[in-house]
Amino acid sequence: MPYDYDDQNIFAKILRGEIPNTTVLETEHTLAFEDIAPEAPVHTLVIPKGAYVCFDHFAADASDAEIVDFNRAIAEVCRIKQVVPGDGQGGYRMVANSGENGVQDVPHMHVHILGGRHMGRMIPRSS
Ligand code: AMP
């Protein structure tokens, strides 16, 4: 499956240091930073440093080291942002919008970590 990565997307520019971000965590293969338009008290984005368009691209083509690093970074972000459910911190929602129907605006693979309040239903019931 060919994935056409656009290196002018805004997260690619963040990774190149061309535009600023509020970094929460940086590891060898992963960057986590605050969403510029937060939809919850905690809204942090976690992105791989590699050029992956969406989650399935990352899962298919990233190295084991990148995938492990990314997942461990998510857990660390949850600890940093104090939303780990087992610690009585209320929990979080993890979202990876992918493609048109997933309503992905930025075509660089990313996961949203949302928390700090009850997140409500994942998908509103249709009337
Ligand atoms: P998505 O719709 O899943 O592609 O989400 C893209 C997210 O990126 C949105 O929640 C935006 O608010 C966020 N975003 C866009 N530009 C920036 C930026 N420069 N810094 C941080 N977050 C951003």
Side-chain angles (χ1 to χ4, degrees), residues 28-29 48 50 52 57-71:
E28 182 179 1
H29 297 295
Y52 303 105
H57 185 197
F58 177 71
D61 288 358
S63 67
D64 289 0
E66 290 175 291
I67 290 170
V68 168
D69 184 276
F70 185 77
N71 281 280

Side-chain angles (χ1 to χ4, degrees), residues 10-11 14 19-20 33-37 39 43 45 97 103-106 110 112:
I10 199 139
F11 294 170
I14 285 175
I19 57 174
F33 54 94
E34 302 294 16
D35 195 291
I36 202 166
E39 295 187 34
H43 190 168
L45 301 170
N97 298 322
V103 194
Q104 180 182 8
D105 292 325
V106 180
H110 56 280
H112 300 250

Side-chain angles (χ1 to χ4, degrees), residues 19-99:
I19 57 174
N21 74 93
T22 303
T23 299
V24 173
L25 177 71
E26 182 168 9
T27 67
E28 182 179 1
H29 297 295
T30 306
L31 180 68
F33 54 94
E34 302 294 16
D35 195 291
I36 202 166
E39 295 187 34
V42 172
H43 190 168
T44 303
L45 301 170
V46 188
I47 71 173
K49 291 182 177 177
Y52 303 105
V53 176
C54 54
F55 192 88
D56 47 287
H57 185 197
F58 177 71
D61 288 358
S63 67
D64 289 0
E66 290 175 291
I67 290 170
V68 168
D69 184 276
F70 185 77
N71 281 280
R72 297 267 192 239
I74 288 171
E76 183 61 20
V77 166
C78 290
R79 285 190 285 272
I80 292 168
K81 301 302 294 187
Q82 300 186 303
V83 293
V84 175
D87 288 352
Q89 296 174 340
Y92 61 93
R93 176 166 295 156
M94 195 168 97
V95 176
N97 298 322
S98 300

